[in-house]
Structure formats: C-alpha cells, structure tokens
C-alpha cells in the first residue's frame, strides 16, 4: 500500500489515521484481551467537540453536516435512519438546562420500569468522569464490557467500508468521524442492540445541524431556556439561536418549549409551523412548585415542568399511560422528580469541614443561576467563621467572554452579599503530575495551558472586580487547587466550583478517585 499516495488527500489527518489503524490492529490481535483502557486510548485520539470549535482547520459546513452524519451511519451498518424510530426518541435541546431536563425525564420514566417500560436509554454530553456516562441504560452508565464490545463493532464496520468520493470527497483513506459524531453513532448502536423502549437524546450543539438530528420521527421534542452561546456556530442573536434549536422539531411530535424572550418564541413557533406540528409553551407546573426536587435549585422548576410534559407525551404515544398534565400528577411523576439527580449540576459533596458546591455553569445565564444557588445554600448553613472559596476555570480564548463571565458571577454574588475569601483559578489538568484523567484527556489547548495564560487573565480581572475583598491564587492542576482547600485551617469551608463541566468533572475525579481498570 502506498501510504504517501493515500495520505495526500487528507493532509495531516494521515498521522492520526495511522495511530487509529495501528490501535485497531493491536486490539484485534489481542481479541478478547482488549481492555477498557485500550479502548479509551484509541477513542482519545479522535477529535473532540471542543477542539472542533477552536480548530484552525476549516469547520464542517452546516449544509454538509447531516448528509455526512448519515454517511457515517451507513458505513456503521445503518442505512435507513427511520430504523431508529423504534427507540421512541425524546429529543431535547436548549442553551441551559437541557441535561437537567433529560435527568428529570429519565427519573420519571424510571418509575414506570416494570409497568410497561423495560429499558430506558439516555445519551448526554459531555461526561464528567467516565465516557460511559454519555450512554446510560436505566440511569446507569453502560458497562465496560458492553462499551468495549459495541465500540469495536462500530469501529470495525467503519474501517471495513468506503464512501463514494464524488459525493463525499473528504471521506477518503484516513477519514474518520470526530469524537462527538462517533459517540452519537455508538449511542444509537447500543440502544438498538439493547432494545430500549425509550431513548432520551440531549443535543450536543444547536439542533438543526447537530449530529443527533438524524432522528426522523421522535415521540417528544422540547427546547429549554435559550441564551447566547456557541455564537461562531449558531449566530449571536436569540433569533438565530432559536432557529437552530427549533430544528429538532418534527411533524411526529408536539413542539414544546419553556417560556422564552418573545423574539425567540416567535422563531420557535415559526419552526413548528414549518414542520407542521403544534407548538406549546410549558409553564411551571403547580405540582412541581410543591415538590422537593432532586435537583434543588429554584431554576430547576422550569426544567422539571418541561420534563413532566415530555414524559407525559412519551407515555401517551407509547400507550403506556395517558397523563393529563392539567390535573394533579401521578405519584410516579412526583417520585421521579424527587429522585432525580445529575452529577455536576447543583451537586453538593460534603468532606469533613469542607462543603463542595459543584455546578458546570459556563454561560452568563447559567452562571447567574449557579450564583443564586450557591448564595442560597451558603447562607443557609454558613456562619461568620465559614471561609468561602471559589475555584474557577473556563478555557475560552475570547478575552471579552472571559471578562463577562467573571463579572456576571462577581456581580450576582455581590448583590446577594456573598464574598469569597479566596479565589483559585486553575487549569482543567487533573493531577499535579501534569496528567489528565485517562477519560478527560484533551489535546486542544497547547501552550495556553502550560503558560497559564487564561488563569492569569482571570486573576487580574477578579482583582479588578473584587479589590481587596479576596485573595487570589493560580494552580496548574485541579488536584493542587483541591489540596490547597483541604489544607486550610478554618473550621468550615464552603467551596463553589464552576465555570466548566470539564473542571467539575476533574474535581469529582480528584475528590472521589480514579478507576484504575
């Protein structure tokens, strides 16, 4: 085989393909001996969603996104996308709250296991500690054994097939799906092989051109609160973002949305009309207001209310149960709302004198809500002797965005008379050795992390905002930040960890330890 000839159409992709090919060959040689860690090492070589957003290479064009995704599915063995209709898909998008909404839907449906439902699939992103969190069945990450088995089934299929280069000129030798595309394909494959009765899908970015939007006939669709995020892909207005999010609406399901700014609602309504389906705005349900939610922040009430309607639509469409949401909710719905959990979102971890408050807020809108939640929780239990610490990172290269995020967090907490005694700005590197957790590896930041460029910007901006109210510190790793907090001599410490789900995931890994398998 002439590697030079094959490599030329793909440029620098050839080197990655060699690693991919050699890794696959190695694992096939090992056969049943291939371990989960082997699979993770091969998977980590795929380009991540975040590096796509920040790559200097040309982005995938919007017009080609879904045709390309369908081609990858064809090569993975799924030529007709309507085959996924049997999964009874609930499709959810939005700027903030979509993961929490998925968690509420899953928890409600879990109460009907054995009552017309046997298996519930859930696909979300990103993961916090293990990539298997992205693909869950009945609330639990898919097992390592099944993950490895299904991953290589897909990989072998893609490796053994080819594309028509006239139609897909970028799919020559060496081409491979990026990380998020591959994980999406794998999720559908897992749910098909496992014969789930319901599949809850969280959109990755946007909706119209998202990799999950190969879905043809979902049984329920919903849009959570809209905000400004991923502007390079979705546009910088609520209207353009609403148009993109409304792309998940289909004629097969009611088009649901929580209350939005009027200009956003107008666009969502137009998108529903375009898809020839009914548009409904979901308000906070009275029973939700009177329920102690498993996700306790007050802003979760609207996410829970959307989840109630999505779950009701699913149960009705699949003839499990007719639920009239204008009446008192069934006991199973209340139990589901109470039992819902979603790691890394409004999560509290108690560790001796230290109380860790973790929320992966990364937009101005979500940071406002995270600040409210922390203020309410901290005031509830703190006293004058309690030290408050902020651990923050958002590895964004846009300086203006960085400054806006910090200002939002600072001002919201100041309005609630919450002051930090110490602000720590860290990287997303997990361990003090400079190593990432095996399943949190990222290759997208290069020198910016090594030079602590973003962290220095954070420190300077925070000092400008906060004056002498708090000390500041920079650490090269999450472990160093955690160790510093643990070393404090104060009788009680309240910590807010926020700004990035990657930071929150790394913090949980340090707090709870890493699986050594």
């Amino acid at each position: 085989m002439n590697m030079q000839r094959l490599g030329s159409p793909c440029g620098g992709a050839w080197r990655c393909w060699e690693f991919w090919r050699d890794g696959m060959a190695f694992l096939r040689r090992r056969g049943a001996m291939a371990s989960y860690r082997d699979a993770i090492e091969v998977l980590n070589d795929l380009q991540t969603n975040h590096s796509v957003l920040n790559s200097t290479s040309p982005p995938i064009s919007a017009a080609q996104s879904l045709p390309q995704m369908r081609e990858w599915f064809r090569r993975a063995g799924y030529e007709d996308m309507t085959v996924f209709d049997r999964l009874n898909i609930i499709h959810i998008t939005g700027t903030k709250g979509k993961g929490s909404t998925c968690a509420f839907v899953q928890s409600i449906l879990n109460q009907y296991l054995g009552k017309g439902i046997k298996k519930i699939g859930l696909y979300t992103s990103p993961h916090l500690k293990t990539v298997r969190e992205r693909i869950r069945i009945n609330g639990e990450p898919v097992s390592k054994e099944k993950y490895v088995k299904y991953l290589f089934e897909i990989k072998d299929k893609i490796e053994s097939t080819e594309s028509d280069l006239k139609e897909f000129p970028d799919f020559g030798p060496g081409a491979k799906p990026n990380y998020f595309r591959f994980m999406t394909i794998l999720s559908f494959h897992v749910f098909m092989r496992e014969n789930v009765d319901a599949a809850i899908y969280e959109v990755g970015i946007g909706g119209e051109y998202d990799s999950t939007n190969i879905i043809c006939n979902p049984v329920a669709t919903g849009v959570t609160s809209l905000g400004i995020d991923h502007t390079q892909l979705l546009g910088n207005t609520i209207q353009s973002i609403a148009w993109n999010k409304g792309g998940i609406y289909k004629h097969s399901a009611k088009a649901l949305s929580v209350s939005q700014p009027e200009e956003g609602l107008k666009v969502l309504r137009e998108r529903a009309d375009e898809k020839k389906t009914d548009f409904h705005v979901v308000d906070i349900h009275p029973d939700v207001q009177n329920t102690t939610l498993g996700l306790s922040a007050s802003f979760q009430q609207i996410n829970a209310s959307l989840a109630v309607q999505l779950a009701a639509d699913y149960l009705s469409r699949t003839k499990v149960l007719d639920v009239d949401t204008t009446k008192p909710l069934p006991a199973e719905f209340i139990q589901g709302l109470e039992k819902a959990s979603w790691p890394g979102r409004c999560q509290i971890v108690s560790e001796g004198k230290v109380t860790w408050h973790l929320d992966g807020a990364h937009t101005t809108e979500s940071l406002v809500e995270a600040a409210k939640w922390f203020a309410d929780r901290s005031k509830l239990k703190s006293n004058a002797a309690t030290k408050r610490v902020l651990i923050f990172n958002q590895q964004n290269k846009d300086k203006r965005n960085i400054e806006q995020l910090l200002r939002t967090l600072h001002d919201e907490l100041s309005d609630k008379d919450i002051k930090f005694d110490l602000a720590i700005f860290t990287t997303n590197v997990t361990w003090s050795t400079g190593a990432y957790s095996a399943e949190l590896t990222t290759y997208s930041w290069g020198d910016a992390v090594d030079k602590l460029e973003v962290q220095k910007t954070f420190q300077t901006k925070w000092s400008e905002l906060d004056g002498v109210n708090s000390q500041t510190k920079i650490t090269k790793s999450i472990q160093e930040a955690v160790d510093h907090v643990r070393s404090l001599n104060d009788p009680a410490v309240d910590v807010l960890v926020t700004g990035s789900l990657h930071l929150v995931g790394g913090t949980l890994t340090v707090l709870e330890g890493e699986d050594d398998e």
Side-chain angles (χ1 to χ4, degrees):
M1 181 179 292
N2 186 330
M3 291 188 180
Q4 184 63 38
R5 180 178 63 82
L6 287 176
S8 57
C10 303
W14 177 248
R15 189 173 302 168
C16 292
W17 173 249
E18 285 184 304
F19 181 86
W20 176 265
R21 180 206 59 200
D22 294 345
M24 290 301 304
F26 166 72
L27 291 173
R28 276 197 296 273
R29 286 196 300 271
R30 291 187 64 180
M33 293 294 290
S35 72
Y36 179 67
R37 186 170 293 277
D38 293 329
I40 294 302
E41 288 176 359
V42 174
L43 182 61
N44 277 346
D45 189 54
L46 293 172
Q47 193 176 31
T48 67
N49 235 18
H50 210 212
S51 60
V52 168
L53 294 180
N54 293 281
S55 175
T56 56
S57 60
I60 299 167
S61 71
Q64 286 299 310
S65 179
L66 291 182
Q68 287 185 5
M69 193 64 190
R70 294 186 188 100
E71 172 64 2
W72 285 123
F73 268 107
R74 183 196 67 77
R75 289 181 56 174
Y78 296 99
E79 190 155 352
D80 180 3
M81 300 301 103
T82 61
V83 71
F84 300 127
D85 291 351
R86 75 175 177 86
L87 299 178
N88 298 310
I89 294 169
I90 301 168
H91 206 187
I92 301 170
T93 189
T95 304
K96 56 181 180 177
K98 60 184 186 291
S100 300
T101 301
C102 288
F104 279 121
V105 174
Q106 175 192 260
S107 187
I108 293 169
L109 295 186
N110 274 355
Q111 311 313 307
Y112 290 91
L113 289 172
K115 302 177 185 178
I117 301 176
K118 294 180 180 179
K119 286 185 179 181
I120 304 161
L122 173 63
Y123 177 62
T124 60
S125 62
H127 60 277
L128 292 179
K129 292 182 64 180
T130 167
V131 69
R132 294 178 296 110
E133 296 168 18
R134 296 180 180 231
I135 304 175
R136 295 174 180 261
I137 294 179
N138 293 346
E140 296 299 321
V142 65
S143 70
K144 291 181 178 180
E145 293 75 18
K146 287 183 177 180
Y147 182 83
V148 172
K149 175 177 182 286
Y150 293 139
L151 182 148
F152 290 121
E153 286 179 356
I154 292 297
K155 283 292 180 285
D156 286 344
K157 269 284 192 181
I158 290 176
E159 189 182 39
S160 64
T161 55
E162 297 179 348
S163 298
D164 182 346
L165 297 185
K166 291 182 179 179
E167 187 174 0
F168 299 100
D170 296 330
F171 278 39
K176 61 187 185 296
N178 67 30
Y179 191 102
F180 187 75
R181 283 180 163 188
F182 173 75
M183 289 303 303
T184 301
I185 296 167
L186 178 60
S187 71
F188 279 95
H189 183 60
V190 171
F191 296 154
M192 292 290 285
R193 292 292 300 274
E194 291 294 311
N195 293 309
V196 303
D197 303 296
I200 306 161
Y201 268 83
E202 177 192 14
V203 164
I205 296 174
E208 176 72 22
Y209 304 114
D210 187 70
S211 297
T212 64
N213 207 29
I214 53 85
I215 297 164
C216 297
N217 297 294
V219 298
T221 62
V223 178
T224 65
S225 298
L226 298 177
I228 305 298
D229 196 19
H230 301 304
T231 55
Q232 64 271 53
L233 296 178
L234 307 181
N236 57 9
T237 68
I238 287 294
Q239 293 95 321
S240 64
I241 289 170
W243 184 89
N244 211 299
K245 306 286 186 184
I248 71 165
Y249 291 155
K250 304 291 191 300
H251 71 280
S252 61
K254 287 188 291 187
L256 304 180
S257 173
V258 303
S259 182
Q260 311 283 3
E262 186 52 44
E263 59 270 29
L265 280 179
K266 180 177 182 293
V267 173
L268 290 175
R269 193 175 289 110
E270 289 170 352
R271 296 241 65 188
D273 290 343
E274 174 190 329
K275 302 297 177 70
K276 296 180 171 53
T277 189
D278 295 330
F279 181 71
H280 297 268
V281 177
V282 176
D283 296 318
I284 294 178
H285 195 284
D287 285 356
V288 170
Q289 290 180 308
N290 298 321
T291 299
T292 301
L293 301 177
L295 301 175
S296 59
S298 59
F299 69 84
Q300 293 288 3
Q301 290 184 357
I302 190 59
N303 298 326
S305 298
L306 177 59
V308 164
Q309 191 59 57
L310 288 166
D313 286 356
Y314 165 84
L315 292 169
S316 175
R317 283 289 302 278
T318 57
K319 304 187 185 307
V320 174
L321 179 72
D322 284 328
V323 178
D324 184 350
T325 55
T326 65
K327 297 179 179 179
L329 296 175
E332 290 87 349
F333 274 61
I334 302 301
Q335 291 164 5
L337 295 172
E338 292 174 339
K339 293 179 180 180
S341 64
W342 198 231
R345 287 79 164 179
C346 302
Q347 182 178 0
I348 295 175
V349 176
S350 297
E351 186 186 54
K353 67 179 183 180
V354 182
T355 303
W356 302 88
H357 302 74
L358 303 108
D359 192 278
H362 61 281
T363 67
T364 53
E365 294 88 353
S366 58
L367 278 170
V368 167
E369 301 299 345
K372 291 178 181 176
W373 168 69
F374 176 73
D376 291 344
R377 296 293 307 185
S378 188
K379 284 182 175 179
L380 188 66
K381 61 175 286 296
S382 299
N383 54 50
T386 301
K387 187 165 192 168
R388 292 192 177 103
V389 179
L390 169 68
I391 299 179
F392 189 91
N393 190 37
Q394 170 54 254
Q395 205 72 31
N396 192 306
K397 295 183 179 180
D398 186 337
K399 184 177 180 181
R400 289 174 300 176
N401 187 51
I402 287 173
E403 293 180 351
Q404 181 60 42
L405 291 173
L406 273 188
R407 182 180 294 279
T408 297
L409 180 62
H410 177 271
D411 291 354
E412 190 65 35
L413 288 168
S414 294
D415 288 346
K416 297 184 176 301
D417 200 27
I418 295 290
K419 300 289 185 182
F420 287 109
D421 301 289
L422 172 65
I424 301 175
F425 302 106
T426 184
T427 68
N428 288 339
V429 175
T430 314
W431 304 109
S432 57
T433 59
Y436 288 90
S437 168
E439 297 190 52
L440 299 176
T441 299
T442 177
Y443 300 109
S444 57
W445 299 116
D447 290 343
V449 169
D450 296 336
K451 295 177 180 178
L452 302 173
E453 293 173 357
V454 175
Q455 289 68 38
K456 291 173 183 176
T457 301
F458 280 144
Q459 185 182 46
T460 300
K461 186 60 182 178
W462 188 263
S463 296
E464 291 174 4
L465 291 167
D466 208 47
V468 296
N469 287 322
S470 61
Q471 296 178 317
T472 61
K473 181 179 178 64
I474 290 176
T475 64
K476 293 183 177 180
S477 70
I478 296 170
Q479 183 181 16
E480 291 170 73
V482 170
D483 287 347
H484 184 78
V485 170
R486 286 170 168 169
S487 71
L488 296 173
N489 293 321
D490 303 83
V493 182
D494 270 2
V495 187
L496 173 62
V497 182
T498 192
S500 162
L501 279 169
H502 299 285
L503 169 63
V504 168
T507 302
L508 286 170
T509 298
V510 173
L511 292 176
E512 300 171 359
E514 188 169 20
D515 189 343
D516 292 328
E517 196 279 331

